Amino acid sequence: MLAAGSFGHSGAGGQQALADPRDELSYAVLRRRFLVPSQADSDHARLLTALLRSVRESGAAA
């Protein structure tokens, strides 16, 4: 989904942050309620897909 060289970390409760240096993107989600990480997976997949689609459609990413 992201470029080689991307890095990030998921945390307790479904928090997640990552960076994609090649495409100059960063992403972070902090939750107000505690989720088991597997509960947050579909949310993150949906949000990241939308972010990447938007960036690619705008022509901002190579």
Side-chain angles (χ1 to χ4, degrees):
M1 183 181 284
L2 296 168
S6 297
F7 59 93
H9 191 285
S10 57
Q15 280 63 252
Q16 188 173 55
L18 59 87
D20 178 347
R22 185 194 75 185
D23 293 326
E24 298 181 351
L25 292 174
S26 61
Y27 167 87
V29 174
L30 305 173
R31 299 189 175 271
R32 294 187 329 163
R33 60 189 169 102
F34 193 88
L35 296 177
V36 174
S38 62
Q39 292 174 307
D41 288 346
S42 63
D43 290 343
H44 293 302
R46 185 173 37 82
L47 290 168
L48 282 168
T49 299
L51 172 66
L52 292 171
R53 182 182 307 122
S54 177
V55 167
R56 290 176 180 147
E57 288 174 359
S58 74

